[in-house]
Each structure stands twice: as structure tokens, then as C-alpha cells.
Amino acid sequence: MNFQDTLLSLVIPLFNEEENIQLLVKSIDEALNEYKFEIILVDDFSTDKTVNEIKKLNHPKVKLIEFRKNYGQSSALAAGFDNAEGDYIITLDGDLQNDPKDILPMLQKLHAENWDVVVGIRNKRKDNFVKKLPSKIANFLIRKATKLNIKDHGCALKVFKKEIAKELNLYGEMHRFISLLAYLNGARVSEINVNHHPRIYGKSKYGLGRTFKVFNDILLILFQRNYLQKPLYLLGNLGIFFFALGAIINVYLLIEKIMGNDIGDRPILILGVLFVLVGIQLFTTGIVIDLQMRTYYETQNVRPYKIRDITSYKN
């Protein structure tokens, strides 16, 4: 397919990337100079001169979205998707590690093979161990727990059909699993090898603490996938198990009481009751809170971010 008459929307979240802005936009211009595109730069309340560097460019294809405060990468992507006008939406990082030259091969694969999402694979990833470890854990767990066999969920370079990207509900830190969320919504997802460059300017925003967040987010996604529409399948089975366990304990204590033994001061009685109540209460409270958050964002059409200003340089 010839994409020269198709508008492409590049969505790029930014946080303290002042030294990368000019080189980033230049690399996109060089890679897509024969195509129609818009660059949506979402500044997540940077504390350096990122916004000033963007405004200096006065680039006709740049749209700058400024957040009122730091909301995180998921909200930045959500804002970019909401304001994208293209038929295809492309995401990439603002740290120059993704190569805009890979966009066209990804688009060709998406169209030729009728995929909804194409994800990049960083075969020769130029990151240190601290950044690689959480990604390796996440990729392994997702492959084992779902049927989505994608090697590199953490690659920011992705190409979406417009309707797929715009129906995603991103909040919290779900940007890490955006391809999985699309897959769970029914999208056909594929992958392709892409280039990956070492970071030259700025500092990475990731550390080992992200490993625990990754694990928690995967558990949440898997629960939503398997039990969100049928929570009784999970909670009912747990209820039966704990009820049976409690019944066994109570029958045992009843027999002890009939035999004349004192059971009022036995720890097993208190432990059994507390174990049942606390375990179920904590788990069900987490589910209720998550459902309330989804209801707040989705049924009321409330977005998880607030924009200070949007500047377009078309004219």
C-alpha cells in the first residue's frame, strides 16, 4: 500500500528530554519526509526546558500537549491517542532509542498481513541490566499466562490502526502492556525486528523497583481477563474452600466441646475466623476499588489527566 496519502499520527510522551527534542524531530522528518504525518508531543510536566525546546522549533507538523502536573506515561499516551487525527497511530519514546526509519516497514507489515497492531522487537537492545530485567520478567509471564506470544512488550515503537488505539483505556501504569490490552480487546497483534540505539542524552526513568510494579500489573490484567465478567468463578470457589475449611474446624471443635474439653481459649478458633475474614475482605476490596476506578473513567467519560494547553504549529 502507498501510505503517502495517509495521515500518520506519531504519539511521543516526554519527561525531561530537552536535549533530545531537536534530534528527535529531525530524525522523524528525515524518515517520513515524503509522507503526511503529525507529531504529537505530550509533555508530562517536565521540570527542565523540554517545552521551550519544542516551542523553539515552531514546526508545522508538531502538536504540543502540556499536562498540568505529572500523570505518568499511560496518561500521556491516552492524551496523545485522544488528540490524534491520523488513520494510523504510532508510539515511540522521546529518548532517541527508537528509530523512526522502522515505521514504514511496520506499516507495510500491518497492511500486507492485515494486522491491527505491530510491535517492535529490540533484538540488539542497548540497555543495561536494570532496564532489561523487568521487561524479561513481564515478557515471560505474559507468554506463559496468555496466548499472546510477543517477545518484547516493552518496546515503545508500535503501530496501531486508529480504531484500536482509540478504544484503549489507559490509566495507572498500563502503558507497559498496551499490546496485551489491545489483544484482550480482540486486536490481531504481530511483531517485527527493529533497531534500538543507546541513550545519549538524559537519564532513564526506570529502575529495579519497576519489577514489582510489573508483577502487580500483570496479576491485575490477568484477573480482568479471566474473571472480570464472572468474578463468582473465582470468589465462589474461594468461598467454598474457606467455608469447607471453617466447617471442618468447627466440627472438630464441636466434637472437642461435646467430649468436655474447653475450646474457648484455643488459637485455632480465632485463627480460622480471622484467616477467612481478612483474606476474603482484602481480595474483594481490591476488586471493588478497581471496578470503581473503571466505572469512574469509562462510564462518565472522564480522562485520567488534565491538559494545561495544546499548541499546534500548522500555520
Side-chain angles (χ1 to χ4, degrees), residues 51-217:
V51 171
N52 292 336
E53 290 297 320
I54 296 172
K55 292 182 176 180
K56 283 181 184 178
L57 293 173
N58 196 28
H59 196 289
K61 295 183 179 180
V62 166
K63 180 185 293 184
L64 169 62
I65 299 177
E66 300 175 60
F67 278 175
R68 294 183 185 178
K69 65 177 185 177
N70 183 265
Y71 289 100
Q73 192 169 343
S74 292
S75 294
L77 287 172
F81 290 169
D82 290 343
N83 289 274
E85 300 177 4
D87 297 307
Y88 297 94
I89 298 178
I90 299 101
T91 62
L92 64 158
D93 278 338
D95 55 11
L96 301 178
Q97 292 193 267
N98 299 132
D99 194 336
K101 293 179 182 177
D102 290 316
I103 293 174
L104 292 178
M106 296 176 76
L107 282 168
Q108 293 290 352
K109 180 178 179 65
L110 182 143
H111 184 265
E113 301 177 15
N114 197 27
W115 298 105
D116 297 312
V117 182
V118 173
V119 181
I121 307 173
R122 300 166 291 182
N123 274 337
K124 298 180 179 180
R125 186 174 176 183
K126 303 297 191 301
D127 285 325
N128 57 35
F129 175 78
V130 173
K131 287 191 68 174
K132 290 181 180 179
L133 178 61
S135 293
K136 288 183 178 294
I137 294 174
N139 292 329
F140 174 79
L141 291 176
I142 291 173
R143 284 197 300 270
K144 294 297 182 182
T146 72
K147 296 180 180 180
L148 181 59
N149 189 22
I150 295 296
K151 297 178 181 178
D152 191 1
H153 286 271
C155 181
L157 185 55
K158 299 179 176 69
V159 175
F160 299 82
K161 288 183 178 178
K162 174 180 66 176
E163 59 272 16
I164 299 298
K166 285 186 174 289
E167 72 182 8
L168 293 173
N169 292 299
L170 298 175
Y171 40 80
E173 297 196 20
M174 290 301 179
H175 62 275
R176 300 188 186 102
F177 312 108
I178 190 171
S179 51
L180 175 60
L181 293 174
Y183 170 76
L184 296 179
N185 280 348
R188 291 161 294 187
V189 183
S190 185
E191 55 189 352
I192 188 174
N193 292 329
V194 298
N195 297 308
H196 193 248
H197 305 296
R199 176 186 270 274
I200 300 174
Y201 303 110
K203 296 181 180 179
S204 173
K205 285 77 178 176
Y206 302 102
L208 281 176
R210 184 178 142 210
T211 304
F212 302 101
K213 296 180 180 179
V214 165
F215 185 71
N216 288 329
D217 288 339

Side-chain angles (χ1 to χ4, degrees), residues 258-305:
I258 292 175
M259 294 177 64
N261 297 321
D262 186 18
I263 63 173
D265 58 350
R266 293 194 179 186
I268 190 173
L269 177 62
I270 300 174
L271 180 64
V273 173
L274 288 178
F275 186 69
V276 171
L277 294 179
V278 173
I280 293 179
Q281 186 176 25
L282 287 175
F283 196 78
T284 53
T285 300
I287 296 171
V288 169
I289 292 174
D290 183 67
L291 292 175
Q292 287 178 333
M293 183 174 65
R294 281 177 164 264
T295 301
Y296 175 74
Y297 283 128
E298 296 174 16
T299 61
Q300 300 184 42
N301 197 29
V302 176
R303 307 309 296 160
Y305 57 83

